[in-house]
Amino acid sequence: MSVTQTSITRELFNEVILPIYAPAQFVPVKGQGSRVWDQQGKEYIDFAGGIAVTALGHCHPALVEALKKQSEQLWHLSNIYTNEPALRLAQKLTAATFADRVFFANSGAEANEAAFKLARYYATQKISPYKTKIIAFHHAFHGRTFFTVTVGGQPKYSDGFGPKPADIVHVPFNDLEAVKAVIDDHTCAIVVEPIQGEGGVTPATPEFLTGLRQLCDQHQALLVFDEVQTGMGRTGKLFAYEHTGVIPDILTTAKALGGGFPVSAMLTREAIAQAMTAGTHGTTFGGNPMACAVAEASLD
Ligand SMILES: Cc1ncc(COP(=O)(O)O)c(C=O)c1O
């Protein structure tokens, strides 16, 4: 397609972007704190907050400084090398949580994809090749890769793409009896948001989370907390699990982790991490030095 149009307008969206979003009718060009300005210089208060991402506001000076500094030093290495910002961030995340090991990725979906793969891999390699069942909840949301959208379980997001990953069951949220009815020794994981986000802001009750922990322990299943939306201080604690004291086996975080720079992380304990070896999982961009430098500033 030849480019004849030089003006960049909201109308251009309808011509050149995959038609999966319905963005506002103006185009923000600048952000500072909780405000954005459009192409005409009109000022808005940004109540969208980047969908739970810009927790420190737009262009927070500490994040800008971290990005500037890192962008003049080193942009990208891939997983052929490690890098200082990723190691520093991993050290700080493990020091601040239950976890010993971190996998970095670029989005919430990717962190969850890694979490679900790890849960299955750990169970099938360490316990039984038949231990693959994942229990998830009605109105959950875990991302848009095919595995995560299937665990999320909402037909409007997961139907129409052909055969889905199998052995995933959904039961009502906050209903421990429903979980008891489906959990068995073939269950490898229960996946839950401590506060459901996209499905309406619904907190899991402390009794529910405590019950899930007990059921996981009884059946040698892993408890996976999706804290993509609740993580990074957005509930008043660094992670929402700290409110109840129920400790997961795997935790995912993204959104506010980079304050607007794409970065996500999956956290887990040593014994679970050890199920994986070089090559079992990976990503080109995960652990990118710029993303990790910004996330470190955000965490600080
Ligand atoms: C709880 C939860 N998990 C996962 C995701 C997916 O994250 P991403 O859009 O970065 O892939 C979201 C996004 O809204 C979310 O709220």
Side-chain angles (χ1 to χ4, degrees):
M1 182 177 142
S2 65
V3 179
T4 50
Q5 189 174 2
T6 50
S7 70
I8 303 298
T9 63
R10 168 61 180 80
E11 285 66 47
L12 193 54
F13 176 92
N14 301 340
E15 295 168 29
V16 296
I17 304 287
L18 198 72
I20 53 172
Y21 306 121
Q25 290 304 314
F26 62 92
V27 181
V29 294
K30 179 179 144 69
Q32 191 65 57
S34 58
R35 282 156 208 273
V36 292
W37 288 262
D38 71 10
Q39 291 173 305
Q40 287 70 40
K42 188 171 173 190
E43 182 177 319
Y44 300 82
I45 299 174
D46 181 12
F47 284 105
I51 316 186
V53 168
T54 44
L56 298 174
H58 292 280
C59 297
H60 188 285
L63 274 57
V64 171
E65 184 53 36
L67 182 58
K68 270 190 187 160
K69 197 170 156 209
Q70 188 58 42
S71 74
E72 287 168 0
Q73 228 168 310
L74 187 65
W75 279 33
H76 174 77
L77 289 168
S78 84
N79 51 45
I80 301 298
Y81 309 99
T82 189
N83 67 78
E84 289 182 356
L87 294 172
R88 274 201 310 269
L89 178 60
Q91 199 172 43
K92 287 187 177 180
L93 283 169
T94 53
T97 63
F98 70 95
D100 309 304
R101 295 270 182 165
V102 181
F103 167 75
F104 288 120
N106 316 286
S107 65
E110 285 172 88
N112 281 333
E113 182 81 22
F116 305 161
K117 283 180 71 179
L118 174 59
R120 280 223 175 134
Y121 204 74
Y122 174 79
T124 58
Q125 302 301 305
K126 300 280 181 189
I127 305 171
S128 153
Y130 303 105
K131 199 168 172 62
T132 54
K133 186 196 281 187
I134 293 176
I135 300 174
F137 297 96
H138 295 167
H139 308 296
F141 188 81
H142 300 298
R144 300 294 199 125
T145 65
F146 208 19
F147 198 178
T148 56
V149 92
T150 308
V151 174
Q154 299 192 44
K156 66 178 175 186
Y157 299 138
S158 59
D159 282 5
F161 302 101
K164 295 173 186 171
D167 212 10
I168 299 164
V169 295
H170 296 93
V171 294
F173 188 63
N174 272 334
D175 185 344
L176 205 54
E177 293 308 313
V179 182
K180 282 182 191 162
V182 294
I183 196 166
D184 56 22
D185 288 342
H186 298 301
T187 304
C188 70
I190 298 178
V191 177
V192 66
E193 297 157 79
I195 302 172
Q196 282 195 335
E198 298 300 299
V201 181
T202 311
T205 63
E207 302 73 43
F208 182 59
L209 294 178
T210 306
L212 293 183
R213 180 69 270 174
Q214 286 166 353
L215 288 172
C216 281
D217 293 344
Q218 279 164 21
H219 294 277
Q220 281 190 290
L222 299 182
L223 184 58
V224 181
F225 278 3
D226 178 342
E227 294 227 29
V228 165
Q229 187 152 168
T230 54
M232 292 302 289
R234 297 189 69 256
T235 69
K237 302 267 189 197
L238 183 60
F239 290 104
Y241 80 84
E242 297 168 43
H243 289 287
T244 58
V246 175
I247 315 267
D249 300 297
I250 300 176
L251 180 150
T252 56
T253 182
K255 290 195 184 273
L257 179 61
F261 206 91
V263 55
S264 66
M266 178 195 72
L267 312 180
T268 192
R269 293 199 316 269
E270 180 68 21
I272 299 163
Q274 285 306 331
M276 289 201 153
T277 54
T280 319
H281 191 59
T283 157
T284 299
F285 290 118
N288 171 276
M290 290 194 291
C292 291
V294 175
E296 186 191 1
S298 168
L299 185 64
D300 286 348

